[in-house]
Amino acid sequence: LHNQPTPSDASQHIVGDASRLFAFVKNFSRFFHTRSDSNIPEIRCYLSGLMQSKRGPKNIERMEEDVPDFNYQSVHNTISHSPWDHRPLMDEIAIRADGLLGGGPRCRLVVDDSGFQKKGDHSVGVARQYIGRLGKVENCQIAVCTSLASGQQSTLSDIRLYLPEAWANDPGRCAKAGIPAGQQRFLTKPEIALESVRHQRKLGVRFDCVSMDGGYGSDTGFLHALDGDGETFVAEVHCDQRVWTEAPWPHRQGQRPSKRLLHAKASHPSQRVDALAAELPDTDWQRLKVRDSDQGWVEVSYLAQRIWVMEGERQKIWWLLVWENPDERSNNGTPLKAPRRHYALSNAAADEYPRQLVMDGVGRNVVERNFRDSKSEVGM
């Protein structure tokens, strides 16, 4: 971080910024060599355009207006057609993210997706689908992302494009858009997220738990796959998620019920998590400071209870976490009459501190800054 330059030293400041950018780019030069060519000059121009273009969308047309000696045709060809491989580059980014935050205090791998609004129908994966930033269905692309977070610091570590079924089932459209044959397949967003989590573990990225919003947490197959991998998670779920407050089947933990029991009703009915939280006494709620802000400490009220969930024929005991911000306000700054409640499941051990699990759930929100900064500053 540095002060803004005065007019007298503005030119030196620009030269200094350029030299730092080019020195940084050298760390990644090896990813833009092919057997017969090098795309480094074009990539350097492209990054310069991302850094310098301030007006409107950061597309190649706008970059050509802002960057001296910018060759539109060569840069466009490099970005659109050059055969460099993005995966080794993304792996390097994940490893560097681990070097910054991995192994830090309570490091979390946060799963989320981000939408990119589009007008046409030629961009890879574009379709009418829900985009969270706008809160409605729009024509857009969706990327499944992970961020590495520790405390209030976070950085993106992976990004994978979601390919809707309409695309995956149309080989001609995929081929025309240049999608490699091995990528012309449909995966749900949680399935993409699971591949990303497992891949980063193989790379050696260090994190204590995986956290996510209700769009991913309500996919029970995803949660049980993470549990089977030995990952600890804190996953928000929808208010109608059903759990048991007592063992569903009268048999020892970890054993499979008999076929007779499987075809009988559970010995105890399940409950929606919002109904269960409403039944618990006010004395079960506790206060927790979650982060410092310009207006002082942000606090939430929370409760935690051990509950049962079913995975096929097996029953497991997990945590149910509920929290709300009593001081939450609407967009116009007025206090809410009824603070929004968040519900989450966690497979953390029985002796884990619930306060820490709630911090993991609340701390998921820091990655929103990654999306905002990446889109506004460097045109993600």
Side-chain angles (χ1 to χ4, degrees):
L1 298 177
H2 48 75
N3 296 325
Q4 290 296 317
T6 61
S8 61
D9 65 359
S11 60
Q12 293 181 2
H13 173 78
I14 293 172
V15 171
D17 276 354
S19 63
R20 282 191 291 271
L21 173 62
F22 296 158
F24 178 75
V25 172
K26 286 182 179 179
N27 296 317
F28 300 91
S29 296
R30 66 186 185 278
F31 299 109
F32 300 100
H33 284 292
T34 63
R35 291 182 178 180
S36 59
D37 200 3
S38 170
N39 305 122
I40 296 172
E42 289 77 18
I43 291 297
R44 189 166 60 185
C45 281
Y46 184 72
L47 291 177
S48 297
L50 290 177
M51 292 299 200
Q52 294 183 47
S53 296
K54 296 297 182 184
R55 299 170 293 119
K58 294 178 182 289
N59 54 39
I60 296 180
E61 289 85 354
R62 187 57 51 82
M63 294 177 188
E64 187 177 31
E65 299 173 4
D66 296 333
V67 179
D69 301 322
F70 190 95
N71 187 319
Y72 172 89
Q73 194 60 45
S74 62
V75 174
H76 182 274
N77 183 68
T78 295
I79 296 300
S80 301
H81 305 296
S82 180
W84 60 273
D85 188 355
H86 77 284
R87 179 44 51 191
L89 175 61
M90 289 304 307
D91 290 351
E92 176 69 14
I93 291 172
I95 292 169
R96 284 172 175 260
D98 176 73
L100 289 170
L101 299 175
R106 195 60 179 186
C107 191
R108 311 176 298 280
L109 189 69
V110 183
V111 176
D112 204 347
D113 53 57
S114 188
F116 307 85
Q117 196 171 5
K118 296 288 182 179
K119 292 184 178 180
D121 59 0
H122 297 299
S123 298
V124 176
V126 68
R128 288 192 59 79
Q129 49 197 329
Y130 181 80
I131 179 170
R133 181 175 59 84
L134 301 178
K136 61 181 180 179
V137 174
E138 274 289 349
N139 200 55
C140 64
Q141 294 170 302
I142 298 294
V144 177
C145 306
T146 57
S147 292
L148 204 61
S150 179
Q152 291 301 300
Q153 293 184 309
S154 63
T155 184
L156 284 164
S157 59
D158 196 13
I159 178 169
R160 297 175 182 231
L161 190 65
Y162 168 70
L163 196 66
E165 283 189 90
W167 275 83
N169 295 333
D170 190 340
R173 188 182 187 188
C174 289
K176 185 177 180 180
I179 302 176
Q183 299 296 318
Q184 295 178 21
R185 56 180 183 140
F186 173 72
L187 294 174
T188 66
K189 295 170 191 173
E191 287 172 338
I192 296 172
L194 182 62
E195 284 191 353
S196 179
V197 173
R198 287 173 171 172
H199 183 74
Q200 290 181 75
R201 275 298 189 200
K202 289 181 180 179
L203 292 175
V205 177
R206 297 162 292 170
F207 48 90
D208 299 300
C209 73
V210 181
S211 61
M212 66 203 75
D213 66 8
Y216 293 86
S218 294
D219 188 300
T220 56
F222 181 36
L223 298 190
H224 288 301
L226 290 174
D227 186 56
D229 289 349
E231 299 288 359
T232 299
F233 60 77
V234 176
E236 286 194 44
V237 295
H238 300 318
C239 62
D240 59 355
Q241 177 75 38
R242 303 195 75 89
V243 297
W244 282 266
T245 56
E246 299 180 69
W249 305 108
H251 63 278
R252 290 177 57 190
Q253 177 68 19
Q255 289 184 344
R256 295 190 179 189
S258 66
K259 290 184 178 180
R260 178 180 63 83
L261 282 176
L262 282 175
H263 291 88
K265 290 184 178 180
S267 55
H268 303 284
S270 63
Q271 280 186 278
R272 286 172 52 126
V273 291
D274 56 352
L276 173 57
E279 290 178 358
L280 296 175
D282 293 343
T283 53
D284 284 2
W285 288 84
Q286 301 183 54
R287 296 279 284 189
L288 173 64
K289 292 181 178 180
V290 292
R291 69 176 184 275
D292 198 4
S293 70
D294 295 337
Q295 287 76 40
W297 278 95
V298 176
E299 295 187 1
V300 299
S301 297
Y302 79 93
L303 59 82
Q305 179 167 322
R306 300 288 279 172
I307 49 84
W308 277 257
V309 297
M310 291 295 295
E311 180 196 5
E313 300 176 354
R314 296 182 181 276
Q315 57 186 12
K316 297 184 177 182
I317 305 177
W318 287 356
W319 285 100
L320 170 64
L321 309 165
V322 186
W323 67 85
E324 63 182 31
N325 180 358
D327 303 318
E328 186 176 9
R329 295 177 178 270
S330 64
N331 292 334
N332 61 13
T334 58
L336 296 178
K337 293 182 179 179
R340 184 165 53 114
R341 284 189 174 177
H342 300 263
Y343 307 91
L345 297 178
S346 176
N347 65 338
D351 59 356
E352 180 65 90
Y353 290 110
R355 297 169 66 89
Q356 180 59 66
L357 300 177
V358 173
M359 290 284 287
D360 292 336
V362 176
R364 180 188 64 79
N365 294 329
V366 300
V367 303
E368 295 299 331
R369 188 171 62 242
N370 297 153
F371 295 142
R372 184 183 68 241
D373 291 349
S374 297
K375 289 182 178 181
S376 62
E377 297 298 331
V378 290
M380 184 172 93

